[in-house]
Amino acid sequence: MLYNDDCLTVLKTLPNDTIDMIYLDPPFFTQKTQALQDATGNRYTFSDIWSSRTQYLDYMKTRLEEMKRVLKKTGSIFFHCDSTSSHYLRVLLDQVFGEKNFRSEIIWVYKRWSNSRNGLLPNHQTIFFYSKSNSYKFHKQYGDYSFTTNIDQLQQERIRDKAGKSVYKRTLEGTVAVSKEKKGVPLSDVWEIPFLNPRAKERTGYPTQKPIELLDRILTISTDEGDCVLDPFCGSGTTLVSARLLKREYIGIDINPDAIRLCYQRLAVPYKTSSALLKKGIAAYQTKSEEILSILKQFDCDVVQRNQGIDALTRKHYCGSPIAIKIQKSDESFGEAIQLLYRSVQRKKFTFALLLTHETNWQDSYIIPQNIIVLPRYEAQLQSILEKILGPQALSG
């Protein structure tokens, strides 16, 4: 069910204790007009400008009080915000829902890059998780153990001794007790979920759109099939699409008519982009061997994963661009290595490239392109070598 109205107006019409879970991604008090355009030229905007922080907090408080009223006793609320006002909103949520009903401060971590900010990059947002009572619905989720977990930690049971130290539990016979069946590592309050790729089919062009993966996790831990989910600032409808795909009932409210039209379009053909990072795990993207990484540590460079032709790029620029570095692999011939590097250099238009080889007689067999430097693997001090070959005037910073 969708409503094109102020959420306060709609909330007042809803009966008490009827909603199983509320997720809201309201204005953040950015004091900006949020605007974005989709691939077809449709432009979506909404104002996040307030006369004062007091006005903003009063606006949120009256709506949160109504949200608490419509929540079931077993219900929960997930309030999405960022550092702009999160400290004020945490206090406000304590006032409305009670400090004892605070459950978690979820940190959503993602990778985004910007060179325009003077300071630390803001690569996370906050989701405050509160329940209406102590009898709230919650489904534990589990993940994989870390790569550093050894067989003893998986097989043997641990307890706390009198000093509070973690030790192996022992049987009456003195042997180490075998652990119970394990489901994995319980889900923590730090969630690394990728931000939507600009080319993702799921992306709508609506400002502040969140990935369905994020909402799926929230709905999975706090609701069951058939439960009713409310999003009072539904925007592009991500919560509603997630609810539909997970077989939950939903109510979406937004004062912006463009947002409601977009919600109808997405709900007619619900689609979720599958995150390759979440599916494969970060280890699948780390394609360089320990040997290669140890060699690259000699140089001031950034490692390039998932690329056969280039293993790293120098951080310093020579003649206006970084140097592309490739290390000849043990299963590559010199000719194969040169060809892979040359193709990548041509395609990406690098000025110079460096090949580190384990062969010694390549000079007699191959004609090397003028913009590729070949060195034995054991050579270090890349900057001094390049300056000798190219001249100090090639160093551009």
Side-chain angles (χ1 to χ4, degrees):
M1 190 175 296
L2 291 172
Y3 294 92
N4 181 200
D5 208 337
D6 186 326
C7 64
L8 181 61
T9 303
V10 178
L11 284 165
K12 287 181 176 179
T13 69
L14 300 179
N16 295 347
D17 309 311
T18 52
I19 303 298
D20 292 286
M21 191 276 283
I22 298 173
Y23 166 84
L24 64 155
D25 181 16
F28 284 3
F29 193 75
T30 60
Q31 297 299 71
K32 298 176 182 177
T33 296
Q34 302 292 337
L36 204 63
Q37 187 171 292
D38 67 16
T40 61
N42 294 319
R43 186 173 177 81
Y44 301 103
T45 65
F46 68 85
S47 175
D48 188 15
I49 299 174
W50 308 83
S51 61
S52 66
R53 194 181 296 276
T54 299
Q55 183 207 13
Y56 170 72
L57 294 173
D58 286 344
Y59 172 92
M60 292 310 313
K61 184 177 182 181
T62 56
R63 285 152 182 79
L64 284 171
E65 288 170 342
E66 286 297 313
M67 292 178 211
K68 181 182 179 183
R69 179 185 63 79
V70 302
L71 264 182
K72 290 181 180 177
K73 184 179 179 181
T74 55
S76 299
I77 184 169
F78 294 80
F79 192 117
H80 198 131
C81 55
D82 69 1
S83 58
T84 311
S85 292
S86 60
H87 45 312
Y88 293 95
L89 293 167
R90 170 73 186 272
V91 173
L92 180 57
L93 287 161
D94 280 347
Q95 292 172 358
V96 175
F97 286 89
E99 292 181 48
K100 67 181 185 301
N101 288 322
F102 167 76
R103 299 303 164 197
S104 292
E105 179 178 351
I106 299 166
I107 303 300
W108 171 37
V109 182
Y110 46 82
K111 299 293 185 184
R112 297 178 88 181
W113 292 269
S114 171
N115 293 324
S116 61
R117 186 182 179 90
N118 184 23
L120 300 177
L121 293 180
N123 273 2
H124 83 276
Q125 291 179 6
T126 300
I127 304 170
F128 290 121
F129 169 21
Y130 281 75
S131 63
K132 185 169 180 177
S133 73
N134 198 42
S135 304
Y136 63 102
K137 185 179 292 186
F138 184 81
H139 303 300
K140 286 186 178 180
Q141 302 293 307
Y142 298 88
D144 295 332
Y145 288 97
S146 73
F147 298 122
T148 60
T149 304
N150 61 42
I151 190 169
D152 288 346
Q153 292 171 305
L154 294 174
Q155 185 188 22
Q156 299 173 354
E157 187 169 353
R158 299 179 75 90
I159 58 173
R160 297 283 177 184
D161 64 12
K162 293 180 180 179
K165 183 181 177 182
S166 177
V167 296
Y168 289 117
K169 181 180 179 180
R170 296 192 175 270
T171 65
L172 294 175
E173 292 78 22
T175 59
V176 176
V178 176
S179 68
K180 301 182 180 72
E181 292 184 0
K182 295 183 178 181
K183 297 179 180 179
V185 180
L187 183 66
S188 77
D189 57 6
V190 178
W191 298 355
E192 187 169 358
I193 296 176
F195 216 86
L196 280 175
N197 186 301
R199 297 182 181 180
K201 187 175 178 180
E202 179 186 321
R203 184 175 281 278
T204 65
Y206 195 86
T208 72
Q209 181 185 353
K210 304 303 184 292
I212 293 178
E213 293 277 7
L214 177 65
L215 273 300
D216 278 359
R217 186 170 294 182
I218 292 173
L219 267 65
T220 301
I221 66 175
S222 62
T223 64
D224 296 305
E225 286 189 15
D227 283 354
C228 186
V229 175
L230 168 65
D231 188 338
F233 298 87
C234 64
S236 64
T238 300
T239 306
L240 316 182
V241 174
S242 175
R244 182 157 189 169
L245 292 173
L246 293 175
K247 300 180 181 178
R248 274 69 167 165
E249 301 296 323
Y250 54 83
I251 298 173
I253 311 168
D254 205 287
I255 200 168
N256 186 340
D258 290 334
I260 294 298
R261 279 193 291 270
L262 184 56
C263 288
Y264 275 118
Q265 293 171 15
R266 292 186 73 189
L267 289 167
V269 188
Y271 183 84
K272 172 185 171 182
T273 300
S274 178
S275 168
L277 177 60
L278 288 178
K279 188 175 181 180
K280 298 178 181 178
I282 194 168
Y285 292 82
Q286 297 172 339
T287 58
K288 305 304 178 189
S289 68
E290 289 299 322
E291 179 189 11
I292 297 298
L293 292 174
S294 66
I295 295 171
L296 291 174
K297 283 181 181 177
Q298 301 175 73
F299 309 127
D300 183 21
C301 63
D302 293 311
V303 177
V304 176
Q305 301 286 356
R306 297 184 297 154
N307 192 302
Q308 287 187 308
I310 296 173
D311 292 318
L313 299 177
T314 62
R315 289 176 179 152
K316 284 189 174 294
H317 286 199
Y318 297 83
C319 296
S321 72
I323 302 290
I325 303 174
K326 177 172 173 58
I327 299 172
Q328 182 186 351
K329 314 299 186 293
S330 58
D331 60 348
E332 286 178 340
S333 69
F334 184 87
E336 289 171 334
I338 276 287
Q339 189 174 51
L340 286 168
L341 177 59
Y342 182 70
R343 286 177 180 173
S344 295
V345 167
Q346 292 294 99
R347 187 165 56 249
K348 299 298 183 181
K349 302 186 185 308
F350 290 108
T351 308
F352 292 101
L354 172 68
L355 175 66
L356 297 178
T357 179
H358 53 72
E359 298 189 16
T360 57
N361 59 350
W362 53 267
Q363 297 97 329
D364 302 327
S365 306
Y366 296 92
I367 298 175
I368 308 302
Q370 289 186 340
N371 63 338
I372 294 182
I373 302 163
V374 180
L375 294 172
R377 275 193 184 189
Y378 57 80
E379 291 281 8
Q381 301 300 322
L382 177 63
Q383 182 174 334
S384 61
I385 292 170
L386 291 172
E387 287 184 1
K388 287 178 182 177
I389 295 173
L390 303 176
Q393 69 278 2
L395 183 63
S396 63

